[in-house]
Amino acid sequence: MLLLVALGMSLARWQERRFDEKTARAARLEAGNRQAPLQLSAQPLLAQDGAAIEYRRVRISGHFLPAWTVYLDNRPYRGQAGFHVLTPFQIDNSSMHVLVAQGWLPRNNQERTRIPDYATPSGTVTIEGVVRLHAGHVMELGQAAPLAPQAIVQNITIGQLAKASGLAFQPILVEQTAPVSSALPVRDWPAPDLGADKHRGYAFQWIALAAMAFLFFVLTGIRRANKQP
């Protein structure tokens, strides 16, 4: 009984901490949307720096490197299969890059590997977007092929792209929101599923389990005591 109560209360506290963490992330997301865009420079960011500005709106000046565009497969939008277009963006007057999610493209159902026509802006441009730490992850079966330019992949990390391309990257992804593009009109990025409320529910379940274990012990003890002559 003591072990069950201790386990239940420990897991309940863990779920409460998860609730607090996700509530804090939701607050950061809301605050990031309210703040003016942060100008992103070529100064290398540490991992903790990237985490500190996650969900912040940022502004970057530079140019795209479309030769190393990759396409994330299995990213549906409103029930239609499609790709997220990820392209390195070289920051002005530097050799530092940021991976930019330009937008979403529908998939050709008859020819899966055929990418619809679209245009990546050329020359120096200033873009805006929201910082994310990664591009998300979907289930992937088997071993992924070596990363190459224009590849269609299920998942990708910034580290993998940096190694394959030889380019220096900031440890963040930027989901582009502006300027508006007629070539890639869909930039309705999915909101992060923070799911804070479910952790409150899990915490309640573990507390209930601990309480049931305690009550079972007490009631069983009373019954045994009553049966004794």
Side-chain angles (χ1 to χ4, degrees):
M1 184 274 296
L2 291 175
L3 286 175
L4 283 176
V5 170
L7 177 63
M9 296 306 296
S10 176
L11 290 172
R13 286 195 296 271
W14 174 64
Q15 291 293 345
E16 286 288 350
R17 289 194 297 270
R18 293 287 291 154
F19 172 82
D20 292 339
E21 290 170 4
K22 291 194 173 184
T23 301
R25 289 179 65 189
R28 281 168 42 213
L29 175 59
E30 184 179 353
N33 288 331
R34 291 198 307 265
Q35 292 174 313
L38 177 70
Q39 186 69 39
L40 192 63
S41 71
Q43 180 69 30
L45 297 173
L46 300 176
Q48 57 266 33
D49 298 328
I53 63 171
E54 188 179 16
Y55 308 128
R56 277 292 305 270
R57 290 192 299 138
V58 293
R59 181 181 292 119
I60 327 167
S61 295
H63 62 275
F64 284 102
L65 275 63
W68 260 102
T69 293
V70 294
Y71 303 94
L72 281 186
D73 199 2
N74 289 330
R75 265 56 179 189
Y77 177 72
R78 294 184 178 177
Q80 185 176 3
F83 309 94
H84 282 174
V85 181
L86 305 185
T87 306
F89 187 87
Q90 186 170 351
I91 301 175
D92 258 354
N93 303 314
S94 77
S95 59
M96 181 61 71
H97 301 77
V98 177
L99 186 57
V100 174
Q102 290 196 68
W104 178 89
L105 289 174
R107 191 173 73 189
N108 187 312
N109 293 327
Q110 282 69 45
E111 192 175 347
R112 176 186 168 278
T113 59
R114 182 179 178 182
I115 303 297
D117 292 333
Y118 71 98
T120 296
S122 60
T124 300
V125 294
T126 297
I127 65 172
E128 292 185 8
V130 176
V131 172
R132 299 295 301 274
L133 297 183
H134 52 75
H137 187 87
V138 299
M139 183 179 293
E140 183 173 6
L141 301 177
Q143 185 69 28
L147 194 60
Q150 310 299 313
I152 297 175
V153 297
Q154 301 294 319
N155 300 291
I156 191 174
T157 67
I158 296 171
Q160 289 172 335
L161 185 57
K163 183 178 179 179
S165 65
L167 302 174
F169 280 91
Q170 299 283 23
I172 58 173
L173 170 84
V174 173
E175 292 177 340
Q176 187 179 351
T177 56
V180 176
S181 170
S182 58
L184 284 161
V186 179
R187 287 183 179 149
D188 186 11
W189 301 110
D193 182 16
L194 300 179
D197 289 340
K198 67 181 181 182
H199 293 289
R200 271 282 171 84
Y202 294 153
F204 176 79
Q205 291 175 11
W206 285 117
I207 292 173
L209 177 63
M212 288 174 62
F214 177 76
L215 289 173
F216 178 79
F217 175 79
V218 171
L219 293 175
T220 302
I222 293 173
R223 289 173 182 170
R224 286 178 179 175
N226 291 334
K227 290 180 179 179
Q228 293 179 356

